Amino acid sequence: SITKRTKKTLTDFQAWANKKGVKLVVTPAHVIDNPSYHTQEGQDFFNEIRSFANAQGIPFVGDVYEHMYDKQYFFNGEYHLNSIGVAQ
């Protein structure tokens, strides 16, 4: 589940953004596909993120499962696609 620290960080950032007139949007990160993401627990976690963002008035845009790729499409870490992954 989302930690209290993460929730506080997001709400603090949202407060700062609101003061500056910045609109926030949450999108899924590109991640290495993992079988655990497709379990009920994984689905519940992603739904919790979407629900929390929406409850804060921050739109969640995109489908997390469309941002999951096989490990071969990553460069040097979990979030950095290589050129073939980018082309996907």
Side-chain angles (χ1 to χ4, degrees), residues 31-46:
V31 295
I32 297 171
D33 199 353
N34 184 306
S36 68
Y37 296 156
H38 301 275
T39 64
Q40 187 62 52
E41 184 178 348
Q43 292 172 15
D44 290 347
F45 176 70
F46 294 124

Side-chain angles (χ1 to χ4, degrees), residues 14-82:
Q14 180 186 21
W16 173 88
N18 287 343
K19 281 185 188 178
K20 301 290 184 180
V22 175
K23 301 293 183 195
L24 299 181
V25 176
V26 175
T27 63
H30 297 297
V31 295
I32 297 171
D33 199 353
N34 184 306
S36 68
Y37 296 156
H38 301 275
T39 64
Q40 187 62 52
E41 184 178 348
Q43 292 172 15
D44 290 347
F45 176 70
F46 294 124
N47 287 335
E48 180 185 8
I49 294 170
R50 179 182 296 277
S51 294
F52 179 76
N54 288 334
Q56 304 308 309
I58 305 170
F60 188 102
V61 179
D63 180 341
V64 295
Y65 296 101
E66 291 178 359
H67 294 267
M68 295 180 186
Y69 297 90
D70 189 82
K71 188 176 183 176
Q72 70 181 348
Y73 297 118
F74 287 81
F75 174 59
N76 64 350
E78 183 176 352
Y79 300 110
H80 301 128
L81 292 169
N82 61 27

